[in-house]
Amino acid sequence: MAEISLKEVALIVGVVAACYWNSLFCGFVFDDVSAILDNKDLHPSTPLKNLFQNDFWGTPMSEERSHKSYRPLTVLTFRLNYLFSELNAVSYHFLNLIFHAVVCVVFLKVCKLFLDNQSSIVASLLFAVHPIHTEAVTGVVGRAELLSSIFFLAAFLSYTKSKGPDNTIVWTPIALTVFLVAVATLCKEQGITVVGICCVYEVFIAQGYTLPVLLDTAVQILRGKGSIPFSMLQTLLKLIVLMFSTLLLVVVRVQVIQSQLPVFTRFDNPAAVSPSPARQLTFNYLLPVNAWLLLNPSELCCDWTMGTIPLVESLLDVRNIATLTFFCFLGSLIVFSLRYPGDSSKTVLMHVKKNFLGLFGYGTVHTCLENTSQKLGLAIRVHIVYVSFKDDIGAHMNVGRTYKNLNKTKEAEKSYMIAKSLMPQIIPGKKYAARVAPNHLNVYINLANLIRANESRLEEADQLYRQAISMRPDFKQAYISRGELLLKMNKPLKAKEAYLRALELDRTNADLWYNLAIVYIELKDPTEALKNFNQALELNPMHKLALFNSALLMQESGNAHLRPEAKQRLLNYVKEEPQDANGYFNLGMLAMDDKKDTEAEAWMKKAIKLQPNFRSALFNLALLYSQTAKELMALPILEDLLKYYPDHTKGLILKGDILMNQKKDIVGAKKCFEKILELDPNNVQGKHNLCVVYFEERDLIKAEKCLVETLALAPHEEYIQRHLNIVRSKIASLSAPEQSSVPAGDTATADAEKKKSFQNSKEQKNEEKSSQTTAGNNRGRSKNKKQAEKNSMEKKETPKKSTKEIKDIEKKRVAALKRLEEIERILNGE
């Protein structure tokens, strides 16, 4: 066997790179979306065993809707891409390019078995640049063909070494061949066809038999005039081993698909569901079509489904001439190769056999579409499907999906309704069985998902989900979608039933456990909710939503023992979602709970850096500064908050308080409180603080009137009544005749003490932390109210308070201001 030089390898790799370098920038198109973007088997959190239990698209092989395409080793390479670059399409295309180069090099080695060196290089270069291979190289899902071809050719090369000196059998290459056949088949099903090529090679190439020799030997044996030659017995033994191994692979493959064939529709494969003779005529016509594409690849197609090749429905169809010509030519080549010995006939035989078995194997073509042309292509496809397949359910479903993507909901609904009308109808009083393609049941799901956006049609959507379930009680997706809808309809108990039924069908679905946890949150059962979150994380330790919402649930429980685990889950969440400010914000809230002020400040700043208008992060950072005697640092944060949210009531209250008590800016504080009352005239806290401003301005009459109005808004708030009494007492004392006999200094001291006391008791502490789950439920936990008032307010004031007592009052005033957190919508990014 001739060796391959480095120059030859460099030449082939260079040509491959020159032809396909632009494929690196093609992104994900067509089937790549389902196999890569939507396939959870690529994620590191998915157990590796799932790759060997699911089909190429991530659907369990046990489910009827599975495509039954079993290619776990190809999916494993996708997973390696994801591990290093996640969903960066460049790395996927780059690996495809490398695999194509490997195929071409191995192909060169095979060519050198039958051709001279120069012819082998030319053949390999033609193979490298042939347009028919575009789909296999440019489409990421084409990697299945690339990998299968590598091991296909490697298996054949291994088998060529199974003939030892004096025609003895070398078993090691045969065992390696069987292994490589299995690997090729696990990359794509067509890999098993290499066994047929090995058999042809053994009989007609390695042993040099011709068809006349084989026929003559068979005749002699049947007449009893001779026995089977020893060399032929050895050949027969090798063939038996190959065929037995192949049979074993087929049995395993059948077991994997659980003896169920995939359900194809007229939309997917029109010829497969056509009556005779259209079915046979069309399938035979496909052979000359593909053979012609090898010779003249001028009309390639990105998708050979639907009516790409019209059915050959009559013997009088002129296309039958092409079929007849092809088989005549193919037959002539086979007869020539089998009848006459010689190198040329051997070469022709091997190429005919390989191309015939692999005619459908190494690609039809996906052209790499630019994003700007995809919508146009979709529009053309919609027109073709609609005109050509008016009675095909799948066609109308695709039309509906396309219209939905184009935001044409009315047209989408019309298409879905047509598809639904083509489904088997339930006849009252009659029982019958109809095999419905699993994908066709999605018409109910798609239609329900479309109309549920209209709040007035929720019941109608629910009816569609129930109809799908009645047609197939094991339709898991229908239960999942219905559960989501029932939550939206505020029917958590029924939603719980739907999810529990879905879990009976699939207990390994982390999303289902997560959804059930949301239901228990709606049912006000946080303990069960946390159990289900934990179950989801047991199945998928990096389930992002379960990490996030379970951490919030732990935080809101008030249980300090759960905080370390909550923190760890949030750290895992930000590792998975490093650009989501919500994760850092909630880490900051946990740190505030643990009194870790420096850490809390760092997390809040991180959240604000990622999202400068993060409402909760801005407010709580300002609150943190006010709680740690850094009120002046809080002011610029509050300015940013009010720039984005000028109607933020609690931000205005906190800013006004800092301006009045730290900056002594009575005018600025007054503007804040007046702004609050413009937004909400009945805001008790804002109105009460405005009364304090009037008191500071020594407008006691206005302060009295203000407090009377405030008391009318909150008649049960005792502190407002006490403050009103203080103001009235002050008015009375100032209007008494004997007041003039009090020394001026003492009067000023008394006034100062009253103002201090009044300020210290002006607000109550009533703060609330909350978070939101993706189901839209707000949950909060409130801190206990504190009455930040001095007993001295209820007694007659004296002018002899010490400086220490005044400082103590001020400290308690600051403590009373540690409040003002608000409910935030976490997952919606507010």
Side-chain angles (χ1 to χ4, degrees):
M1 184 182 298
E3 295 298 324
I4 300 176
S5 68
L6 288 177
K7 289 183 179 180
E8 292 169 342
V9 172
L11 176 62
I12 291 175
V13 171
V15 170
V16 168
C19 284
Y20 288 103
W21 70 270
N22 58 341
S23 69
L24 299 177
F25 314 104
C26 287
F28 297 114
V29 295
F30 293 106
D31 290 341
D32 296 345
V33 176
S34 298
I36 308 296
L37 300 182
D38 299 338
N39 193 346
K40 294 182 179 179
D41 287 348
L42 273 63
H43 300 174
S45 57
T46 302
L48 275 175
K49 66 177 182 179
N50 284 24
L51 273 66
F52 296 88
Q53 297 173 347
N54 298 344
D55 66 16
F56 188 54
W57 317 99
T59 304
M61 295 290 289
S62 58
E63 295 188 10
E64 187 179 5
R65 65 189 178 93
S66 169
H67 192 268
K68 310 301 181 186
S69 49
Y70 188 63
R71 305 163 192 172
L73 296 186
T74 302
V75 179
L76 183 61
T77 65
F78 292 155
R79 184 166 174 142
L80 290 174
N81 272 118
Y82 188 93
L83 181 64
F84 289 105
S85 64
E86 294 193 350
L87 295 176
N88 181 1
V90 174
S91 73
Y92 293 80
H93 289 292
F94 180 69
L95 194 54
N96 271 25
L97 191 151
I98 291 175
F99 286 144
H100 180 53
V102 173
V103 173
C104 295
V105 171
V106 179
F107 182 76
L108 172 61
K109 198 171 183 67
V110 171
C111 288
K112 288 192 175 186
L113 292 175
F114 309 102
L115 302 172
D116 60 74
N117 192 62
Q118 185 176 356
S119 299
S120 297
I121 294 174
V122 171
S124 299
L125 291 175
L126 286 174
F127 184 88
V129 302
H130 201 296
I132 203 73
H133 298 154
T134 305
E135 178 185 21
V137 183
T138 303
V140 177
V141 292
R143 187 178 299 176
E145 281 85 1
L146 297 173
L147 290 171
S148 181
S149 296
I150 290 173
F151 295 107
F152 181 106
L153 296 172
F156 176 70
L157 286 174
S158 176
Y159 188 80
T160 61
K161 300 176 182 179
S162 65
K163 182 180 177 181
D166 299 326
N167 205 26
T168 57
I169 300 175
V170 183
W171 289 106
T172 301
I174 295 177
L176 180 58
T177 297
V178 172
F179 171 76
L180 292 172
V181 169
V183 173
T185 305
L186 291 175
C187 293
K188 192 172 183 179
E189 297 80 355
Q190 70 189 32
I192 201 170
T193 60
V194 71
V195 174
I197 293 178
C198 291
C199 291
V200 172
Y201 172 83
E202 177 65 30
V203 175
F204 298 102
I205 308 298
Q207 301 301 329
Y209 296 126
T210 61
L211 191 57
V213 171
L214 292 176
L215 290 176
D216 184 62
T217 303
V219 170
Q220 294 297 324
I221 293 172
L222 291 174
R223 290 179 178 178
K225 295 183 179 181
S227 60
I228 302 176
F230 180 73
S231 61
M232 192 170 289
L233 285 175
Q234 286 185 310
T235 300
L236 188 60
L237 179 60
K238 292 171 73 173
L239 295 182
I240 289 173
V241 171
L242 279 178
M243 298 308 295
F244 179 80
S245 302
T246 303
L247 181 61
L248 184 62
L249 286 175
V250 171
V251 170
V252 172
R253 182 70 172 80
V254 171
Q255 290 297 317
V256 167
I257 66 174
Q258 301 186 1
S259 303
Q260 293 180 349
L261 292 176
V263 179
F264 293 110
T265 68
R266 184 169 181 262
F267 173 78
D268 298 315
N269 191 345
V273 296
S274 297
S276 297
R279 179 178 181 181
Q280 291 77 17
L281 292 175
T282 303
F283 279 148
N284 283 302
Y285 175 66
L286 294 178
L287 295 175
V289 168
N290 282 274
W292 180 246
L293 288 175
L294 289 173
L295 298 174
N296 180 29
S298 60
E299 294 183 359
L300 302 177
C301 182
C302 63
D303 192 346
W304 291 98
T305 58
M306 304 177 289
T308 311
I309 299 176
L311 296 175
V312 181
E313 299 179 299
S314 169
L315 291 171
L316 300 177
D317 193 311
V318 70
R319 290 174 293 174
N320 289 319
I321 297 175
T323 304
L324 184 62
T325 302
F326 170 77
F327 278 106
C328 288
F329 180 71
L330 181 65
S332 300
L333 289 177
I334 293 174
V335 169
F336 170 78
S337 303
L338 297 180
R339 187 175 181 85
Y340 304 105
D343 291 340
S344 60
S345 63
K346 291 178 180 179
T347 302
V348 169
L349 176 64
M350 289 308 300
H351 281 77
V352 167
K353 184 66 176 176
K354 184 160 74 76
N355 284 310
F356 183 75
L357 289 175
L359 202 54
F360 294 97
Y362 197 59
T364 52
V365 177
H366 274 315
T367 55
C368 179
L369 298 180
E370 298 293 336
N371 291 334
T372 54
S373 66
Q374 287 184 13
K375 286 190 177 180
L376 177 60
L378 282 172
I380 294 173
R381 182 171 177 171
V382 166
H383 178 72
I384 294 174
V385 171
Y386 189 75
V387 172
S388 304
F389 294 90
K390 290 185 178 180
D391 61 343
D392 189 275
I393 297 171
H396 290 288
M397 288 175 64
N398 275 1
V399 173
R401 279 193 287 262
T402 303
Y403 277 131
K404 183 181 178 183
N405 290 337
L406 296 173
N407 294 320
K408 295 184 177 182
T409 55
K410 290 184 179 179
E411 292 86 349
E413 181 177 349
K414 181 180 178 181
S415 296
Y416 286 142
M417 291 298 291
I418 295 173
K420 178 175 172 288
S421 69
L422 296 172
M423 294 287 287
Q425 301 299 308
I426 298 174
I427 304 175
K430 289 189 177 182
K431 294 183 179 180
Y432 63 94
R435 191 178 187 197
V436 179
N439 288 339
H440 285 176
L441 286 173
N442 285 324
V443 68
Y444 296 98
I445 306 299
N446 295 346
L447 182 56
N449 291 345
L450 184 70
I451 66 176
R452 65 192 267 184
N454 186 338
E455 295 288 337
S456 64
R457 302 182 69 183
L458 298 183
E459 289 292 345
E460 186 181 347
D462 187 36
Q463 176 62 31
L464 287 167
Y465 291 135
R466 285 186 280 130
Q467 190 172 353
I469 291 170
S470 69
M471 296 186 71
R472 191 176 297 278
D474 62 348
F475 192 11
K476 180 180 64 179
Q477 187 56 47
Y479 292 105
I480 295 173
S481 298
R482 185 169 185 245
E484 294 170 356
L485 177 67
L486 290 168
L487 273 178
K488 187 175 182 179
M489 297 171 69
N490 198 26
K491 295 180 180 180
L493 288 175
K494 289 188 176 181
K496 175 183 172 183
E497 292 176 7
Y499 286 133
L500 288 174
R501 180 70 182 94
L503 281 171
E504 291 177 9
L505 300 171
D506 182 8
R507 298 189 66 82
T508 63
N509 190 321
D511 291 337
L512 276 175
W513 291 102
Y514 170 80
N515 289 349
L516 189 57
I518 299 301
V519 171
Y520 279 115
I521 289 174
E522 289 288 339
L523 293 172
K524 312 299 182 187
D525 191 344
T527 302
E528 283 299 317
L530 189 56
K531 287 181 182 178
N532 284 277
F533 278 137
N534 291 341
Q535 185 66 39
L537 291 170
E538 184 176 331
L539 293 168
N540 181 0
M542 299 309 293
H543 191 291
K544 290 181 284 191
L545 290 176
L547 285 170
F548 185 82
N549 286 292
S550 63
L552 296 188
L553 199 60
M554 291 176 175
Q555 180 185 0
E556 292 167 11
S557 69
N559 186 342
H561 298 294
L562 294 177
R563 286 179 193 161
E565 178 63 21
K567 180 179 180 179
Q568 185 57 51
R569 292 188 181 187
L570 285 173
L571 288 172
N572 289 339
Y573 175 78
V574 297
K575 182 180 179 181
E576 290 291 303
E577 291 288 342
Q579 299 303 312
D580 186 1
N582 293 296
Y584 302 104
F585 166 73
N586 283 282
L587 281 166
M589 297 300 288
L590 272 176
M592 288 178 71
D593 287 343
D594 288 333
K595 310 301 181 186
K596 298 177 180 179
D597 299 334
T598 303
E599 182 181 339
E601 180 183 359
W603 289 124
M604 291 296 181
K605 286 182 175 179
K606 177 71 172 176
I608 294 169
K609 182 179 180 181
L610 288 172
Q611 186 179 331
N613 65 340
F614 196 152
R615 178 183 173 118
S616 287
L618 287 167
F619 177 77
N620 282 282
L621 180 58
L623 180 64
L624 177 66
Y625 285 142
S626 73
Q627 290 175 338
T628 54
K630 300 176 181 177
E631 288 89 347
L632 296 182
M633 293 179 66
L635 277 178
I637 305 299
L638 289 170
E639 292 291 345
D640 287 341
L641 172 67
L642 295 171
K643 177 180 69 176
Y644 293 114
Y645 308 100
D647 299 343
H648 195 289
T649 302
K650 293 184 179 180
L652 288 166
I653 289 175
L654 184 57
K655 180 183 177 184
D657 180 79
I658 294 174
L659 289 175
M660 182 167 61
N661 296 294
Q662 300 298 320
K663 299 278 287 184
K664 306 303 180 183
D665 183 358
I666 305 300
V667 175
K670 186 176 183 180
K671 289 180 180 178
C672 291
F673 301 138
E674 287 177 340
K675 174 67 173 179
I676 293 170
L677 295 180
E678 288 178 14
L679 299 171
D680 179 12
N682 295 324
N683 187 292
V684 174
Q685 200 172 15
K687 194 168 184 65
H688 176 269
N689 286 6
L690 185 60
C691 300
V692 176
V693 170
Y694 295 149
F695 187 90
E696 291 285 351
E697 293 176 338
R698 296 179 177 272
D699 194 339
L700 299 182
I701 301 300
K702 201 169 185 178
E704 179 188 25
K705 180 182 178 182
C706 177
L707 285 168
V708 169
E709 293 172 352
T710 307
L711 187 61
L713 294 174
H716 301 295
E717 293 291 350
E718 190 176 334
Y719 74 96
I720 300 176
Q721 181 64 62
R722 287 199 298 271
H723 297 170
L724 178 59
N725 293 339
I726 291 172
V727 171
R728 286 175 172 170
S729 175
K730 176 66 175 177
I731 293 172
S733 65
L734 289 177
S735 61
E738 61 271 23
Q739 183 67 30
S740 60
S741 62
V742 179
D746 292 343
T747 302
T749 303
D751 289 344
E753 291 303 324
K754 288 180 181 178
K755 285 190 286 186
K756 284 284 187 183
S757 180
F758 189 76
Q759 291 170 8
N760 292 337
S761 60
K762 67 179 177 295
E763 293 182 282
Q764 60 180 352
K765 181 180 181 182
N766 179 17
E767 292 312 319
E768 192 172 47
K769 288 183 182 179
S770 71
S771 60
Q772 180 201 41
T773 68
T774 54
N777 55 301
N778 289 324
R779 312 187 298 277
R781 55 186 172 88
S782 300
K783 294 183 179 179
N784 295 327
K785 290 184 179 180
K786 279 189 177 181
Q787 193 69 27
E789 303 177 52
K790 289 297 293 176
N791 292 333
S792 59
M793 289 220 30
E794 302 176 13
K795 301 177 182 178
K796 188 173 181 179
E797 297 181 66
T798 63
K800 295 184 179 181
K801 286 188 181 289
S802 66
T803 303
K804 182 177 181 302
E805 288 175 322
I806 294 174
K807 288 183 178 179
D808 288 341
I809 293 172
E810 179 64 17
K811 286 182 181 180
K812 291 186 177 182
R813 182 196 67 77
V814 172
L817 293 174
K818 291 182 179 180
R819 62 198 181 284
L820 307 170
E821 301 163 88
E822 70 171 357
I823 297 174
E824 272 304 315
R825 295 179 61 86
I826 299 300
L827 292 182
N828 288 339
E830 292 185 19

